[in-house]
């Protein structure tokens, strides 16, 4: 199958100017390739840089070295070099990200929060709202909550809103950062189902799954992120 | 890329102090760009230069390819009526305090040639509701409104003519925190619905994160860092940006 996302020699070092310019190397020489329909689980000890890698893949952190090639509208877009507008367009059309925490927008209803990225991808409002409701139902979020802003929801409820928002637009590439961290067994099973369906539809998925049961169920292979030695 | 506004090599000195030191910036159609930095960083000066309200010592500003700095005052006023909007930090600078709320919104339409009184009043009423002001207040003077209401009225007055590019100078500046959140949310929704391009000056990092696609960080008249909003805020590179971001208290 086609490779939809790959990194070549990806490196990332943080320079803390407020701490006397301390340099913290986190990633070096990362070569990762993810094919359509495949789910790759990132593994490695806590602090090894799994989340940093995910954030680089989404363009949230700037890459320090190497390339991040995303198959975007018929060509490879290098997210390590792309300007802000190109990254925004890639996020709109091609790459989605489910973070651990929902960034709540005051006063916007749950249904609208979920529908928004679908509409940004060109889905008509009525269809986006219908799919939003269906996803929220499937994730067992009671219908009486759909019209409310999620600011007051529990952690597990907010995570399910985030999942609905992430799976809604059917981006060809999807990044999942601990998508089941605050969910019970029943809802974990639903997320496993969503991931399976996305894979069958050809989505390339990269995930961090601390839950071994979820990882076994969805990951086709594991990619180990090696901790780097601290350079003093 | 549909470029609306493009400025290059802007320099401006106030005495010995460089308010703008080789600043370049551009804004594309449908894009929200935030300029952040502390007081005295030059961000408001930059906004005023870009909007043609102040002349730089050197540099160019182009709007849809046309030279902004070389425009006559009449040409600039025409642009302010048709294509541009300006939201001031202090609503009293953007509103006419002696004219009713409806009149404040309606006169911008009349300046564009609208003549039918009933239509103008209906549109003014619709805009009051859109910015969450009770339409029954249409004949009240803005001086009887709260600060948050005045700011929402200024936004209605600015947006009623459907400008392509809106300049905003600390639009949530002097407001209570709860009022700020409501206003930001309103601005965010209107920007989405109307597909506006916005250049917003703010010292509020959270506001920039909520509204802006891109961000420029200014310090002592220079743009020290710029890029994708979430990348600049989550992975700041310049020492000053790191200081700015780390100084925000998490609520």
């Amino acid at each position: 199958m086609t490779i939809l996302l790959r990194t070549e020699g990806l490196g990332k070092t943080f320079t803390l100017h407020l701490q006397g310019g301390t340099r913290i190397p986190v990633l070096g020489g990362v070569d990762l390739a993810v094919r359509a329909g495949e789910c790759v689980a990132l593994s490695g000890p806590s602090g090894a840089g799994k989340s940093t890698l995910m954030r680089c893949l989404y363009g949230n952190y700037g890459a320090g070295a190497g390339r991040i090639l995303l198959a975007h509208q018929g060509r490879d877009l290098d997210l390590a070099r792309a300007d802000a507008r190109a990254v925004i367009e890639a996020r709109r059309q091609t790459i989605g990200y489910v973070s651990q925490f929902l960034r709540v927008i005051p006063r916007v209803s749950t249904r609208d929060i979920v529908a928004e990225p679908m509409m940004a991808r060109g889905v008509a409002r009525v269809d986006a709202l219908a799919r939003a409701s269906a996803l929220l139902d499937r994730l067992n979020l009671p219908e009486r909550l759909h019209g409310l802003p999620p600011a007051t929801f529990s952690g597990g409820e907010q995570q399910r809103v985030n999942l609905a928002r992430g799976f809604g637009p059917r981006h060809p590439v999807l990044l999942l950062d601990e998508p089941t961290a605050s969910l019970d067994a029943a809802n974990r099973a639903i997320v496993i189902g969503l991931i399976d369906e996305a894979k069958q539809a050809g989505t390339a998925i990269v995930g961090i799954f601390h839950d071994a049961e979820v990882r076994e169920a969805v990951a086709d292979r594991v990619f180990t992120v090696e901790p780097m030695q601290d350079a003093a | 890329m549909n470029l609306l506004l493009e400025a290059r090599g802007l320099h401006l000195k106030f005495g010995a102090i460089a308010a703008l030191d080789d600043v370049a910036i551009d804004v594309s159609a449908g894009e929200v760009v935030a300029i952040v930095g502390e007081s005295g960083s030059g961000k408001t000066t930059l906004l005023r230069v870009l909007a043609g309200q102040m002349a730089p010592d050197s540099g160019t500003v182009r709007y849809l390819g046309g030279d902004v700095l070389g425009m006559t005052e009449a040409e600039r006023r025409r642009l302010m009526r048709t294509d541009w909007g300006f939201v001031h930090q202090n609503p009293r600078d953007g509103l006419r305090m002696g004219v009713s709320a409806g009149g404040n919104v309606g006169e911008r339409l009349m300046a564009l040639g609208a003549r039918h009184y009933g239509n103008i009043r209906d549109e003014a009423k619709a805009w009051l509701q859109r910015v969450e002001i009770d339409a029954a207040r249409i004949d009240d003077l803005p001086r009887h409104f709260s600060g948050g209401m005045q700011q929402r009225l200024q936004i209605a007055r600015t947006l009623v003519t459907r400008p392509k590019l809106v300049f905003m100078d600390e639009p949530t500046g002097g407001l209570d925190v709860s009022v700020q959140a409501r206003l930001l949310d309103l601005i965010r929704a209107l920007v989405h619905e109307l597909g506006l391009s916005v250049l917003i000056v703010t010292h509020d990092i959270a506001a920039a994160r909520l509204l802006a696609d891109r961000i420029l960080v200014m310090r002592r008249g220079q743009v020290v860092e710029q890029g994708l909003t979430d990348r600049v805020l989550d992975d700041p590179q310049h020492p000053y940006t790191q200081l700015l971001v780390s100084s925000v208290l998490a609520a």
Side-chain angles (χ1 to χ4, degrees):
Chain A
M1 289 288 270
T2 345
I3 293 174
L4 296 187
L5 179 66
R6 72 177 191 276
T7 68
E8 293 173 352
L10 176 63
K12 178 66 183 170
T13 297
F14 292 94
T15 304
L16 309 180
H17 292 290
L18 305 182
Q19 273 78 40
T22 307
R23 288 170 56 82
I24 304 178
V26 178
L27 301 173
V30 174
D31 296 313
L32 166 71
V34 192
R35 291 176 171 73
E38 178 184 47
C39 176
V40 176
L42 303 182
S43 84
S46 184
K50 300 186 293 293
S51 285
T52 296
L53 175 54
M54 290 286 263
R55 284 167 173 263
C56 287
L57 295 177
Y58 195 57
N60 175 229
Y61 286 175
R67 306 206 291 169
I68 302 168
L69 300 169
L70 174 71
H72 171 64
Q73 297 180 334
R75 63 186 186 93
D76 277 345
L77 176 71
D78 183 359
L79 289 173
R81 305 259 177 305
D83 76 1
R85 296 176 183 113
V87 175
I88 289 168
E89 185 56 23
R91 288 177 177 180
R92 192 173 291 143
Q93 298 297 341
T94 306
I95 187 165
Y97 179 51
V98 178
S99 63
Q100 288 184 58
F101 302 102
L102 178 67
R103 197 174 278 283
V104 176
I105 303 158
R107 303 200 309 162
V108 179
S109 79
T110 295
R111 195 183 288 111
D112 283 323
I113 285 176
V114 174
E116 186 186 38
M118 290 188 250
M119 294 184 331
R121 216 177 163 228
V123 177
R125 180 172 168 81
V126 53
D127 298 329
L129 288 172
R131 179 161 161 79
S133 296
L135 276 165
L136 291 166
D137 283 341
R138 185 166 170 191
L139 286 156
N140 294 313
L141 203 82
E143 200 184 340
R144 65 187 161 76
L145 298 181
H146 296 189
L148 302 176
T152 56
F153 292 6
S154 72
E157 286 165 345
Q158 291 196 0
Q159 186 161 41
R160 281 177 277 152
V161 175
N162 226 2
L163 283 158
R165 183 176 156 91
F167 279 93
R170 301 184 169 101
H171 290 120
V173 178
L174 193 53
L175 310 172
L176 304 173
D177 191 351
E178 299 261 21
T180 58
S182 354
L183 301 186
D184 60 22
N187 283 313
R188 276 202 301 274
I190 289 159
V191 175
I192 291 171
L194 284 170
I195 294 173
D196 276 337
E197 283 171 27
K199 282 166 61 178
Q200 273 158 35
T203 308
I205 297 174
V206 183
I208 302 173
F209 309 100
H210 275 179
D211 187 315
E213 179 200 323
V214 175
R215 189 170 58 234
E216 303 274 299
V218 300
D220 297 292
R221 63 194 170 87
V222 168
F223 181 89
T224 305
V225 182
E226 304 284 357
M228 303 231 340
Q229 298 301 317
D230 279 3
Chain B
M1 189 56 59
N2 197 348
L3 209 56
L4 285 185
L5 191 75
E6 185 182 21
R8 294 288 176 269
L10 295 176
H11 289 267
L12 179 59
K13 275 193 169 180
F14 296 134
I17 298 164
L20 298 177
D21 184 2
D22 198 21
V23 173
I25 184 173
D26 49 48
V27 182
S28 296
E31 193 178 40
V32 179
V33 180
I35 305 169
V36 303
E38 59 203 28
S39 305
S41 60
K43 54 191 196 303
T44 294
T45 301
L46 175 59
L47 197 71
R48 298 192 58 193
V49 167
L50 294 174
Q53 296 173 359
M54 193 186 261
D57 296 334
S58 59
T60 58
V61 180
R62 297 191 164 275
Y63 173 72
L64 292 174
D67 179 13
V68 170
L69 302 174
M71 282 189 303
T72 63
E73 184 57 20
E75 286 168 335
R76 198 185 67 79
R77 280 174 183 278
R78 198 183 58 78
L79 207 55
M80 284 304 295
R81 277 202 305 273
T82 55
D83 282 36
W84 288 2
F86 201 106
V87 176
H88 298 264
Q89 173 171 5
N90 188 335
R92 283 182 290 279
D93 295 335
L95 293 173
R96 292 221 289 145
M97 300 306 280
V99 172
S100 70
N104 264 284
V105 178
E107 74 174 10
R108 288 261 298 170
L109 288 171
M110 284 159 65
L112 282 185
R115 286 293 172 264
H116 187 285
Y117 177 77
N119 291 349
I120 293 170
R121 192 172 167 87
D122 286 347
E123 176 126 23
K125 207 177 262 183
W127 267 96
L128 291 182
Q129 283 165 334
R130 208 157 174 181
V131 298
E132 303 170 15
I133 294 173
D134 185 348
R137 306 288 304 265
I138 189 165
D139 295 317
D140 292 357
L141 295 178
R143 75 166 64 97
H144 298 135
F145 289 0
S146 68
M149 276 173 79
Q150 287 179 359
Q151 197 54 295
R152 281 181 273 129
L153 180 62
Q154 190 189 186
I155 286 168
R157 175 181 162 92
T158 306
L159 299 187
V160 66
T161 54
R162 305 282 178 138
K164 287 196 185 76
L165 175 62
V166 182
F167 300 91
M168 296 188 183
D169 185 11
E170 301 273 12
T172 58
L175 303 172
D176 290 342
V177 174
S178 60
V179 178
Q180 281 183 17
R182 180 179 185 184
L183 190 69
L184 282 175
D185 204 48
L186 184 72
I187 292 173
R188 182 184 174 281
L190 288 170
V191 164
H192 262 244
E193 279 172 39
L194 304 174
L196 298 174
S197 306
V198 178
L199 192 57
I200 180 171
V201 159
T202 179
H203 66 271
D204 182 349
I205 301 288
R209 192 191 276 276
L210 183 71
L211 295 175
D213 301 308
R214 286 193 299 126
I215 197 167
L216 284 85
V217 182
M218 283 194 76
R219 186 193 189 210
R220 294 181 190 157
Q222 294 180 326
V223 176
V224 296
E225 183 164 0
Q226 60 177 307
L228 194 64
T229 299
D230 62 81
R231 190 185 299 180
V232 170
L233 298 181
D234 292 340
D235 186 18
Q237 302 296 309
H238 190 277
Y240 177 69
T241 316
Q242 292 189 356
L243 177 65
L244 202 65
V245 169
S246 68
S247 306
V248 177
L249 297 174

